[in-house]
């Protein structure tokens, strides 16, 4: 199985390394050549360039990819690149990181698989605070 | 008319000035603090600070009314696509126009349903070609939504069309000659119009037929 990861920052590189360990054929794309250092001993592919550039996507093998993860540090870049990959290459599984919960919800309603770390953090923080509430006593 | 202009650079600021001068209601959204202060000092409360790709900012600008027109003219193509998609798909704004900063991104705008676009670079390139017609055929206008384009050609003395009537040309079905300009005077082209060397011919056609039109007219 082949996956292309657009944006090799903390999130992208982390996903790349774990999927590679699990046997995926992984290629990362990042504008910064230095991002390769985040991957450690890397046997997968790495293409320097911007995800908006279809030549870069194609050099990374997007046309043959089973999945794509779009996780640059720009929400708008991610939703645009995600939609381009989905529509232009009919990639089966495209997942996009969107930090803004409102934009994540907007694009999720329109068929893009979005992951919103902000929303996850909000939910987790609320759960932790609520777990600190004293348990009601003698209500039975 | 009510318009939201996203992006207060030179393009957005000038469009806002013009729309205001025409008596329209406008909200201009600018993200950079220093630029916002400059614009606010000049234009007053029509300027709003914020990131126009954030839905709550667009809502503060009145996207839910909805406006008659949204112009996404920031210097970032991804931002312009997102603003246009939110306006047209989320709020059913009847007319949305987006600026294409990098002409290489035009295909992305088309693919993602942002059909009304303006690209200064492509426009300038068209003007350059208009002055220096290297390929014998210059695109004057692309009607993307309609799937048509308007082009201009120069007829040289050795062109196969020189001296022929329009009716006698073997033009493809989806091509019509619109006008012929001779010595600076234009006239609407009819079937009996005779084409002369040196004429500037304007034609309307479906994209993809440029080569066949060129062969039929200028060889």
């Amino acid at each position: 199985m082949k996956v292309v990861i657009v944006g090799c920052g903390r999130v992208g590189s982390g996903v790349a390394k774990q999927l590679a360990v699990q046997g995926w054929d992984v290629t990362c794309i990042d504008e910064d050549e230095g991002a390769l250092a985040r991957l450690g001993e890397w046997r997968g592919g790495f293409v320097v360039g911007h995800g908006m550039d279809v030549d870069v996507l194609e050099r990374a093998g997007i046309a043959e990819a089973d999945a794509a993860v779009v996780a640059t540090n720009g929400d708008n870049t991610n939703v645009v690149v995600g939609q381009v990959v989905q529509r232009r290459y009919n990639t089966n599984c495209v997942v996009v990181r969107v930090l803004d919960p409102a934009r994540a919800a907007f694009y999720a309603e329109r068929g893009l698989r979005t992951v919103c770390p902000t929303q996850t953090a909000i939910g987790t923080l609320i759960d932790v605070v609520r777990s600190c509430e004293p348990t009601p006593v003698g209500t039975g | 008319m009510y318009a939201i202009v996203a992006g207060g650079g030179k393009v957005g600021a000038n469009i806002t000035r013009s729309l205001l001068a025409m008596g329209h209601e406008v909200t201009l959204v600018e993200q950079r603090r220093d630029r916002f202060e400059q614009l606010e000092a000049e234009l007053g409360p029509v300027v709003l600070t914020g990131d126009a790709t954030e839905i709550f900012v667009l809502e503060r600008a009145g996207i839910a009314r909805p406006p008659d027109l949204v112009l996404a003219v920031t210097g970032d193509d991804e931002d312009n696509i997102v603003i246009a998609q939110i306006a047209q798909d989320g709020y059913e704004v009847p007319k949305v126009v987006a600026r294409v900063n990098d002409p290489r991104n035009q295909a992305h705008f088309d693919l993602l349903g942002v059909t009304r676009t303006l690209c200064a670079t492509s426009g300038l390139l068209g003007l350059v070609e208009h002055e220096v017609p290297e390929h014998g055929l210059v695109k004057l206008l692309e009607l993307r939504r309609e799937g048509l384009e308007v082009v201009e050609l120069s007829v040289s003395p050795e062109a196969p069309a020189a001296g022929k009537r329009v009716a006698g040309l073997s033009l493809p079905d989806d091509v019509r000659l619109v006008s012929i300009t001779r010595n600076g005077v234009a006239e609407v082209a009819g079937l009996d119009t005779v084409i002369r060397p040196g004429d500037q011919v304007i034609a309307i056609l479906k994209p993809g037929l440029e080569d066949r039109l060129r062969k039929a007219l200028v060889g």
Side-chain angles (χ1 to χ4, degrees):
Chain A
M1 297 286 274
K2 178 169 174 58
V3 60
V4 171
I5 297 180
V6 184
C8 189
R10 285 192 190 89
V11 175
S13 63
V15 173
K17 281 191 283 191
Q18 289 206 26
L19 286 176
V21 167
Q22 288 166 27
W24 283 70
D25 171 6
V26 186
T27 299
C28 293
I29 296 174
D30 202 287
E31 278 187 296
D32 175 15
E33 206 178 341
L36 184 58
R38 289 183 187 274
L39 296 167
E41 286 276 313
W42 187 242
R43 292 207 177 88
F46 190 88
V47 177
V48 180
H50 197 281
M52 288 285 280
D53 186 338
V54 290
D55 290 340
V56 169
L57 291 173
E58 286 171 15
R59 266 191 282 138
I62 196 75
E64 305 86 46
D66 303 286
V69 175
V70 191
T72 78
N73 57 6
D75 277 1
N76 297 333
T77 299
N78 293 347
V79 295
V80 170
V81 172
Q83 291 178 89
V84 168
V85 170
Q86 210 174 33
R87 297 196 196 177
R88 191 174 173 125
Y89 303 100
N90 295 316
T91 308
N92 192 26
C93 174
V94 180
V95 60
V96 170
R97 186 188 75 161
V98 183
L99 289 178
D100 173 24
R103 247 170 295 174
F106 179 86
Y107 282 101
E109 281 166 22
R110 282 157 185 83
L112 196 61
R113 226 179 280 187
T114 59
V115 168
C116 181
T118 315
Q119 196 59 52
T120 309
I122 292 169
T124 308
L125 290 168
I126 290 172
D127 286 347
V128 171
V129 171
R130 292 187 63 185
S131 73
C132 300
E133 282 173 18
T135 320
V137 182
T139 50
Chain B
M1 182 183 78
Y2 180 51
I4 296 177
V5 179
K10 283 199 182 71
V11 175
N14 280 307
I15 290 171
T16 303
R17 289 184 192 105
S18 303
L19 289 172
L20 289 170
M22 287 187 258
H24 298 298
E25 186 190 356
V26 186
T27 297
L28 170 62
V29 186
E30 169 57 42
Q31 183 172 21
R32 289 163 298 167
R33 190 75 211 176
D34 51 341
R35 181 64 180 162
F36 161 73
E37 282 165 6
Q38 238 178 5
L39 290 165
E40 195 194 29
E42 181 198 335
L43 300 167
V46 302
V47 194
L48 187 73
T49 176
D51 174 355
T53 68
E54 293 233 39
I55 291 168
F56 82 93
V57 172
L58 284 173
E59 287 194 342
R60 266 174 36 214
I63 191 88
R65 286 167 63 173
D68 305 285
L69 171 67
V70 167
L71 295 166
V73 291
T74 78
D76 186 294
D77 285 341
E78 292 97 302
D79 288 3
N80 291 342
I81 290 174
V82 167
I83 294 162
Q85 287 188 322
I86 293 172
Q88 63 195 26
D89 305 338
Y91 294 91
E92 283 159 19
V93 175
K95 197 166 186 182
V96 177
V97 181
R99 169 184 174 193
V100 181
N101 294 279
D102 182 339
R104 290 172 295 183
N105 290 333
Q106 179 73 55
H108 298 333
F109 283 79
D110 297 342
L111 180 69
L112 303 188
V114 183
T115 50
R116 288 177 200 262
T117 53
L118 275 175
C119 180
T121 314
S122 304
L124 279 171
L125 211 56
L127 287 175
V128 171
E129 288 187 343
H130 188 68
E131 295 303 320
V132 194
E134 265 184 45
H135 324 296
L137 181 145
V138 179
K139 265 185 216 175
L140 297 180
L141 184 67
E142 279 186 86
L143 302 164
R144 309 187 77 89
R145 288 167 80 94
E146 291 77 9
L148 291 168
E149 61 188 31
V150 177
V151 301
E152 186 182 58
L153 304 95
S154 306
V155 180
S156 61
E158 59 277 8
K164 280 192 187 163
R165 287 165 65 233
V166 171
L169 300 172
S170 47
L171 292 174
D173 278 347
D174 289 316
V175 176
R176 291 281 181 288
L177 301 193
V178 176
S179 72
I180 288 178
T181 305
R182 189 173 300 153
N183 305 322
V185 182
E187 63 179 78
V188 174
L191 288 175
D192 289 326
T193 307
V194 176
I195 293 169
R196 304 275 179 214
D199 284 357
Q200 297 286 114
V201 179
I202 291 179
I204 187 161
L205 69 157
K206 290 209 168 147
L209 295 171
E210 297 87 347
D211 278 343
R212 288 177 60 195
L213 168 65
R214 183 170 24 213
K215 282 204 186 81
L217 219 60
V218 299

